[in-house]
Structures are given as C-alpha cells and as structure tokens.
C-alpha cells in the first residue's frame, strides 16, 4: 500500500475507537476488544510536557487528545514521521467535538532539537516529543495521544453504509480514476469505502494539500455521524475488531471507557473542524532545499486556535510562543 493511500486511513482510527465505544454502550465490549490495543504511557508531568502554567488549568470540560497517523508496519511504531496530526477536542460544555489539523510541513520548534517540520518530531522522539511540540508551539495542554499506522477505511465506510459527500466538479475525474469507478458525479453522492478513500487521497486538484486535509475531516465527520446515529451493537463490534489491533495510545482501558461514556452521555454532539496554519497567515517556500510552511505569525495562529477550541476570544499567547513566533519570522528572509 502506498503512503498516499494510507494517509486518510490512519487519521480516522483513533477517534473511531472512542466514538464506537460510546455508541455501543455495552461495557463488556471494552474488556473483550480493547485488550488488543497497544498501551504506551508517556509522562504526565506538565513541565516535562511543555505545558505552560497559563494553560495548565484551562477548562476541565474540554479534553484535548493528539491523534497521529504514521507510515510504518503494523508492529513497528518507531522512527517514523507523522503523515497526519490532529488535535481532537471534546467540548462537554458546548457538546462539540472539534478537529484541528496541523499541516505536516509546519515549521516549528521541536523541544531539545531544532526548528524543523512538525512531522519530524515523531521520528526523533516518538509520540511524547510530538505532544511536547504541540504544547510548546500552540499553548496546548495535551497529555494523551493515539497513534495508528494502518487501517481499513474501505471496510469501515462500507460497515456504516457509506458516506454522503458533496463532490465538486474538479474532483470527479480523479475520484473515479483512483477508485476504478465511473459512477460518481457532482453534488451530494453516497460513496462506498473504495470511493471514500479515493476522495480523501485527492491532492493535486483544488487547493492542493490544504483542501485534502478538509476532505479528510469531511469523511471523518460523516463516518462518526453515521456511527452515532446507528448505535448498532453488531456494527460497533465489527468496527472495534477491525480497528483495535492498529492503535497505540497512552490511554488505558479505563480512560477509553471514560471518554466513551462522556461522549455517549453528553448527547447531541455536533462536530466542527479547522486547520493550521490559517489561510493568509503563513509563508510557503523552500529553505535550504526543504519545503516549509512558516507561520506569519505563529502568535496569531495560536490565538485563532484557542478561539476555536476554547471559544475564548482575544487570547494572548504565552511568552514562550511569542519567542518562537519571532524566531520563525526571523528565518523567513533567509530564503
């Protein structure tokens, strides 16, 4: 399987595990299937995780978890770069599930290392260093993660009866060509698993990689909505069985049960999504023969992110973020 074809598959699985568990509502499922998930703990020390005091006590009703997708074998999580990075935020106060994509070419400070693409952090320091990188650069308070390296998006989409997607005219040819189909047209279409994967892989059409992240989040939201509406135990069991062997996480069974229960008990969860860097607030280019997205400015992007996640307008980034922001800008002229 190619790297491109597995990118969308890898970002979906972690969130599915939590949502599917919530939808099933049967606790015996947890012990039966979650034992297959590889649990790897990371430090919970806030200082070690680069969590700034100003954000350490952010609203307890908002739970942030880092979702990572990597390109590697099913039994090997080490030494890989993240193809996909998403901050999943469960907002219990407003009954929202928010997905924030961080572009993998984002130029950031990697704690203890150097300024580089954010997807380099996983290669040199695994999930713990990547969590630290997210916290340091974006004033986040993330303490847990989920990583996936392979999945079966086609089977997942087919298991929930397909996904409804509003297909644009410039996406049709690439979607049909990649999926080997000729039946998809423009407008709202019900895509099967193979077609949904092809849709999520479209990169060289529209707004390139930026729009691809939007397609990925669109498919993700459609599948989750289908799962929440169905509440089918057989469907939940089938999906958990497919997904659980391919997940590594810092969350143990009890924590996963807790998350699932919170989603289920909240009721009426709506979904929102965004991406960083924000349009018009980044500088793409090649520095030292490497392509980067440099934030212009990181501080403004962080303020936007906190408005999105915490619904807190006028957030003033920490001095640490301001320093990183200024450092990034100082490198722009060296193109």
């Amino acid at each position: 399987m190619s790297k491109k074809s597995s990118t969308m598959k890898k970002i979906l699985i972690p969130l599915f595990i939590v949502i599917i568990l919530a939808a099933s509502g049967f606790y015996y499922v947890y012990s039966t299937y979650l034992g297959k998930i590889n649990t790897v703990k990371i430090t919970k020390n806030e200082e070690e995780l680069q969590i700034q005091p100003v954000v350490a006590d952010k609203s307890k009703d908002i739970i942030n978890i880092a979702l990572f997708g990597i390109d590697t074998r099913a039994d090997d999580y080490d030494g890989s770069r993240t193809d996909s990075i998403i901050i999943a935020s469960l907002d219990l106060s407003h009954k929202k599930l928010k997905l924030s994509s961080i572009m993998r070419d984002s130029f950031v400070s990697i704690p203890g290392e150097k300024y580089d693409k954010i997807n380099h952090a996983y290669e040199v320091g695994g999930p713990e260093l990547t969590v630290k990188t997210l916290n340091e650069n974006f004033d986040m308070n993330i303490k847990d993660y989920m990583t996936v390296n392979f999945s079966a998006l086609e089977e997942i989409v087919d298991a929930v009866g397909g996904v409804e997607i509003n297909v644009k005219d410039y996406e049709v040819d690439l979607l049909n060509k990649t999926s080997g189909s000729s039946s998809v047209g423009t407008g709202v279409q019900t895509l099967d698993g193979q077609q949904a994967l092809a849709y999520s892989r479209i990169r060289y059409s529209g707004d390139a990689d930026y729009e691809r992240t939007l397609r990925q989040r669109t498919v993700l939201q459609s599948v989750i909505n289908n799962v929440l509406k169905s509440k089918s135990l057989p469907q939940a069991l089938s999906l958990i069985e497919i997904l659980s062997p391919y997940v590594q996480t810092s969350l143990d069974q009890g924590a996963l049960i807790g998350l699932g229960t919170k989603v289920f008990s909240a009721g009426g969860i709506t979904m929102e999504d965004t991406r960083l860097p924000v349009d018009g607030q980044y500088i793409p280019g090649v520095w030292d023969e490497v392509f980067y997205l440099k934030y212009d400015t990181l501080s403004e992007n962080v303020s936007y992110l906190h408005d999105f996640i915490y619904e807190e307008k006028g957030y003033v980034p920490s001095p640490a973020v301001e320093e990183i922001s200024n450092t990034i800008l100082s490198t722009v002229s060296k193109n």
Side-chain angles (χ1 to χ4, degrees):
M1 180 172 297
S2 71
K3 185 174 182 179
K4 289 181 181 178
S5 66
S6 62
T7 297
M8 179 56 195
K9 297 180 178 182
K10 290 178 285 188
I11 68 171
L12 294 175
I13 304 170
L15 207 51
F16 285 161
I17 292 291
V18 174
I19 299 300
I20 293 166
L21 291 175
S24 71
F26 288 81
Y27 281 84
Y28 80 87
V29 175
Y30 306 135
S31 58
T32 302
Y33 291 94
L34 291 185
K36 298 178 183 179
I37 294 178
N38 182 16
T39 302
V40 177
K41 294 295 185 180
I42 62 174
T43 181
K44 297 297 183 182
N45 182 281
E46 294 180 351
E47 184 176 353
E48 292 178 4
L49 285 176
Q50 308 297 318
I51 298 175
Q52 295 294 318
V54 68
V55 297
D57 295 324
K58 281 279 191 176
S59 174
K60 303 301 182 183
D61 290 330
I62 297 177
I63 302 168
N64 295 309
I65 298 176
L67 310 182
F68 304 131
I70 61 175
D71 183 29
T72 185
R73 300 192 308 274
D75 59 350
D76 183 9
Y77 291 82
D78 298 326
S80 298
R81 295 192 177 192
T82 42
D83 285 336
S84 305
I85 300 173
I86 293 179
I87 300 172
S89 305
L90 177 59
D91 183 345
L92 297 173
S93 294
H94 299 93
K95 295 185 178 182
K96 294 179 180 179
L97 180 60
K98 303 175 183 180
L99 307 176
S100 306
S101 295
I102 309 297
M103 298 291 288
R104 60 186 179 180
D105 292 325
S106 296
F107 186 73
V108 298
S109 169
I110 300 178
E113 296 294 325
K114 61 178 181 178
Y115 281 76
D116 205 339
K117 292 187 180 184
I118 194 169
N119 70 347
H120 183 67
Y122 205 101
E123 181 180 35
V124 298
E128 183 166 315
L129 181 59
T130 313
V131 168
K132 291 178 181 180
T133 301
L134 288 170
N135 288 335
E136 179 177 87
N137 288 269
F138 301 102
D139 270 353
M140 296 305 298
N141 58 358
I142 301 169
K143 293 184 178 180
D144 288 295
Y145 77 94
M146 288 186 177
T147 296
V148 291
N149 54 19
F150 179 81
S151 72
L153 176 63
E154 295 179 30
E155 289 86 348
I156 293 168
V157 171
D158 288 336
V160 299
V163 292
E164 285 194 351
I165 301 294
N166 187 7
V167 181
K168 301 179 179 64
D169 56 359
Y170 57 83
E171 297 170 329
V172 172
D173 289 343
L174 286 171
L175 193 162
N176 284 325
K177 180 179 179 180
T178 305
S179 66
S181 171
S182 60
S183 60
V184 178
T186 58
V188 177
Q189 307 283 318
T190 299
L191 305 185
D192 62 24
Q194 189 173 24
Q195 293 164 340
L197 176 59
Y199 172 79
S200 70
R201 291 175 58 193
I202 297 173
R203 186 174 186 179
Y204 299 108
S205 180
D207 199 12
D209 206 32
Y210 309 101
E211 193 167 351
R212 184 175 68 158
T213 65
L214 174 59
R215 294 187 187 100
Q216 293 170 352
R217 295 192 301 274
T218 299
V219 172
L220 172 58
Q221 291 181 39
S222 182
V223 174
I224 290 174
N225 284 332
N226 285 355
V227 172
L228 287 174
K229 289 177 183 177
S230 172
K231 296 185 179 180
S232 164
L233 179 58
Q235 182 186 85
L237 292 174
S238 175
L239 291 174
I240 293 171
E241 189 168 17
I242 292 171
L243 300 176
S244 59
Y246 304 108
V247 177
Q248 181 190 85
T249 180
S250 59
L251 296 161
D252 58 23
Q253 291 186 22
L256 288 169
I257 291 171
L259 279 174
T261 302
K262 287 177 180 178
V263 174
F264 185 74
S265 61
I269 293 288
T270 59
M271 299 187 65
E272 297 179 357
D273 66 279
T274 192
R275 166 192 38 93
L276 290 187
V278 177
D279 287 343
Q281 294 185 358
Y282 66 92
I283 302 170
V286 176
W287 287 263
D288 297 326
E289 301 182 347
V290 179
F291 177 81
Y292 295 107
L293 296 176
K294 296 193 174 183
Y295 289 76
D296 182 22
T297 64
L298 178 63
S299 296
E300 292 178 344
N301 277 269
V302 170
S303 294
Y304 166 82
L305 182 64
H306 279 250
D307 183 11
F308 175 72
I309 293 178
Y310 296 102
E311 303 194 10
E312 174 186 351
K313 295 188 178 298
Y315 174 75
V316 178
S318 68
V321 166
E322 292 288 0
E323 181 178 352
I324 294 170
S325 182
N326 291 334
T327 300
I328 292 174
L329 285 180
S330 72
T331 68
V332 171
S333 62
K334 299 177 182 179
N335 193 338

